[in-house]
Amino acid sequence: MLDCSYYNEEFRRRINRRNTSYSNRVGTVDIDSYINEAARIWYKTSVREAEKNTAVKISLRPFEVKNKALEIDCGGIYYKASIPEDCYYPLNYMIYASKEGCPDCPKLMTPFTVQSDDLVESLKDPNRKPSFEYGEVIVDDAKSFLYVYTDGTFSIDKVDLSYYRKIEKHACPKLAENNYYVDGTGNKIIESTIFSIDNEDDADEIVDIAV
């Protein structure tokens, strides 16, 4: 992974070509803020493009979390799975269910997502309601939870989630005077942090956006 100083030094080098006086005035706290804003833009765009662009998908591998087991609570015919706080974009769910007398359980189910206003009708519809025999469950995703619905005759044993985690926050106080600075929220930043990015092309794209 590239050190935090790479981003800051590249930012100054590119700004210096355009405006030397501004490069001399801008501080580390400002550069870090610009880079973080640019990284959020780059990440949002990359996640959108990853489904149809293999190269982008490969560049996002350091941010991918595979098959993380979620905590689940039973609420009757539905189960509530807690989405991890570091989840930025869910990729897929693997949902396993069991039913009394089933010799091959747990069984991998196919999830069908419905909107909240269609939920009741979907649960009543014979052609859409959850079915253990057909290996189907209904899911409704919220910000912090995934709700998995059954027909009451089977239980949900496990929910695994693969997802892109949130991108780290860039900070490079080691380049600041006295090796620290106070950010825009009033926090004293003393520890340098880096993105999980291991190629210069992606790093340079972030710097380009920041500049």
Side-chain angles (χ1 to χ4, degrees), residues 24 40 57 86 109 118 129-130 133 142 162 165 184 191:
N24 293 332
R40 290 192 295 269
K57 185 176 182 179
D86 69 339
M109 309 294 282
D118 292 330
K129 69 179 183 179
E133 286 68 28
S162 294
R165 61 175 175 79
E191 182 177 353

Side-chain angles (χ1 to χ4, degrees), residues 1-186:
M1 293 181 288
L2 298 171
D3 187 76
C4 66
S5 59
Y6 177 87
Y7 297 87
N8 293 54
E9 291 168 357
E10 278 297 301
F11 181 93
R12 285 193 183 279
R13 184 179 68 81
R14 297 180 196 192
I15 286 294
N16 192 57
R17 290 186 301 183
R18 302 180 184 181
N19 191 328
T20 304
S21 62
Y22 177 72
S23 176
N24 293 332
R25 294 196 310 270
V26 66
T28 300
V29 59
D30 299 310
I31 295 176
D32 284 358
S33 178
Y34 298 147
I35 291 174
N36 277 313
E37 182 180 6
R40 290 192 295 269
I41 295 171
W42 171 83
Y43 195 51
K44 181 179 181 180
T45 302
S46 297
V47 168
R48 287 177 176 176
E49 294 180 353
E51 290 186 7
K52 57 181 182 292
N53 189 318
T54 301
V56 174
K57 185 176 182 179
I58 291 173
S59 71
L60 290 180
R61 282 180 179 171
F63 300 97
E64 188 174 353
V65 178
K66 289 184 176 291
N67 300 324
K68 182 179 179 64
L70 306 184
E71 294 184 6
I72 56 176
D73 294 314
C74 178
I77 66 167
Y78 73 85
Y79 291 75
K80 185 171 69 172
S82 299
I83 306 299
E85 291 186 2
D86 69 339
C87 178
Y88 177 79
Y89 185 84
L91 295 172
N92 62 73
Y93 295 96
M94 303 286 281
I95 300 173
Y96 299 87
S98 294
K99 187 173 184 178
E100 187 176 352
C102 172
D104 300 319
C105 289
K107 180 178 183 179
L108 179 61
M109 309 294 282
T110 300
F112 290 95
T113 303
V114 299
Q115 301 300 318
S116 297
D117 51 359
D118 292 330
L119 179 60
V120 174
E121 290 301 318
S122 297
L123 292 173
K124 292 179 178 180
D125 190 331
N127 296 316
R128 294 193 293 169
K129 69 179 183 179
S131 169
F132 184 80
E133 286 68 28
Y134 288 103
E136 297 174 350
V137 292
I138 288 177
V139 299
D140 181 15
D141 54 349
K143 181 178 181 180
S144 301
F145 301 99
L146 177 76
Y147 293 88
V148 184
Y149 289 85
T150 73
D151 63 356
T153 66
F154 62 93
S155 59
I156 302 301
D157 295 337
K158 187 180 181 185
V159 178
D160 290 345
L161 170 64
S162 294
Y163 61 94
Y164 288 127
R165 61 175 175 79
K166 296 175 182 177
I167 192 170
E168 303 89 348
K169 188 174 182 179
H170 168 88
C172 205
K174 66 182 180 180
L175 297 180
E177 187 177 359
N178 299 320
N179 296 317
Y180 79 89
Y181 62 74
V182 178
D183 67 12
T185 61

Side-chain angles (χ1 to χ4, degrees), residues 194-211:
I194 57 177
F195 299 129
S196 297
I197 296 174
D198 53 13
N199 73 78
E200 291 187 5
D201 290 340
D202 292 331
D204 289 342
E205 187 174 345
I206 290 175
V207 176
D208 285 339
I209 297 171
V211 171

